[in-house]
Amino acid sequence: MKNQNGKASLGSVLRRLFVGMPVFWHHMIPMGVILVLAALIQLISSGAYTDIIAESYLRQTRENFVRSCDRFSNGIYDIYTVPPMVESTVDYNSMTMTVSGELPRTAISLALNGMQASFNDTFSLIGMPEDVECFLYYPEADALFTRQRVFARAEDCFDTYIRYDGMTPREVLDRLDNTGTSMELQGAMLDETTPCVTVLMNPSRSHSVLGLLYPYETLQQQFGMQSLPEDSFLQLVDPDGNVIFSHGKQTTGCYTMSVQIRGIRCSAVLGIPWRYFRQLAAPTRNFSIITLSLTLLVGLVLAIVFSNAGTRPLRRLLSSQVIFFPLPEW
């Protein structure tokens, strides 16, 4: 009995409160509740729509990224057979005989010139981009050649043409000589102006070392960075966690994906900013906000009109319509 009295008293209080309100709020309160619910639904649906766009885009991006890593790895393995082909030439045999006989360095230079011509011909056949520099180093002769130059003394190359930060020419040569059959990446500078990433490998029977110098712009094209959002970043990271190559700035709020490049001691890390997906979903969200705003504006105008004019004009309008369209009799 007390509960019924309490409910009745609460209902009467709410009824008196509602009756005591201006007519304006009689129209605005229900409409406001409806609009709040609509805004909440729009917020939830906008977040879900953003997630759907992000999931679809990231799935396609990851597939493209994996293919880019495979192309990069396959391109390197296409080059893996070049040094043995060069070493099967007469010029290579001449160089080895020169080294064993301790002849003047000029004889080694002549042999290297012939090997360089064969080297460049082979790279042209496999379609190697011209902006990718290559060098082939022979520890026994302490000599190497690139696609552009011949160095009878290997140290001259690393003194004047290819630079490694924080490493002396002798340290570079010792590291190249100990590369073995594994592949690894190092940072370098070409002509002291072009930052590069060097892929080092030992593919031949003579313990020669092949180096491929990829300029930063070429790497960006290899991994398709030109088709990604502006704030995306790409990194090549060695097993120790050192960043060898970096394009773009790594920031918070990014979705990252990592792919191990086959045959190379390196991982490629790609980051896509999450705000990019919110920007893609913005037109749909803005349309919903504009619709809710117009609904609020129209509702506000109607509430003001009916609260000032009263409900009598509305009853007159309805009664006039009943005259022209009488209700059916049951």
Side-chain angles (χ1 to χ4, degrees), residues 280-295:
L280 290 180
T284 302
R285 183 181 63 252
N286 294 339
F287 177 78
S288 300
I289 293 174
I290 292 173
T291 302
L292 288 175
S293 301
L294 291 176
T295 304

Side-chain angles (χ1 to χ4, degrees), residues 34-52 278 281 284-289 292:
I34 294 173
L35 288 178
V36 168
L37 293 176
L40 182 61
I41 294 173
Q42 188 273 334
L43 180 63
I44 296 174
S45 62
S46 177
Y49 180 61
T50 302
D51 292 338
I52 292 173
R278 290 194 291 267
T284 302
R285 183 181 63 252
N286 294 339
F287 177 78
S288 300
I289 293 174
L292 288 175

Side-chain angles (χ1 to χ4, degrees), residues 184-248:
E184 59 180 316
L185 272 68
Q186 296 290 325
M189 292 287 291
L190 189 62
D191 271 338
E192 300 185 6
T193 57
T194 305
C196 299
V197 171
T198 306
V199 182
L200 305 177
M201 53 186 170
N202 187 337
S204 67
R205 54 185 170 83
S206 66
H207 305 292
S208 63
V209 177
L210 176 65
L212 309 174
L213 283 83
Y214 286 86
Y216 280 10
E217 291 184 359
T218 303
L219 281 176
Q220 294 167 21
Q221 296 173 0
Q222 290 256 344
F223 290 96
M225 295 303 295
Q226 65 275 8
S227 62
L228 296 177
E230 293 182 358
D231 296 334
S232 303
F233 70 89
L234 171 67
Q235 292 179 344
L236 298 181
V237 184
D238 67 11
D240 297 329
N242 300 318
V243 178
I244 302 170
F245 165 79
S246 180
H247 168 73

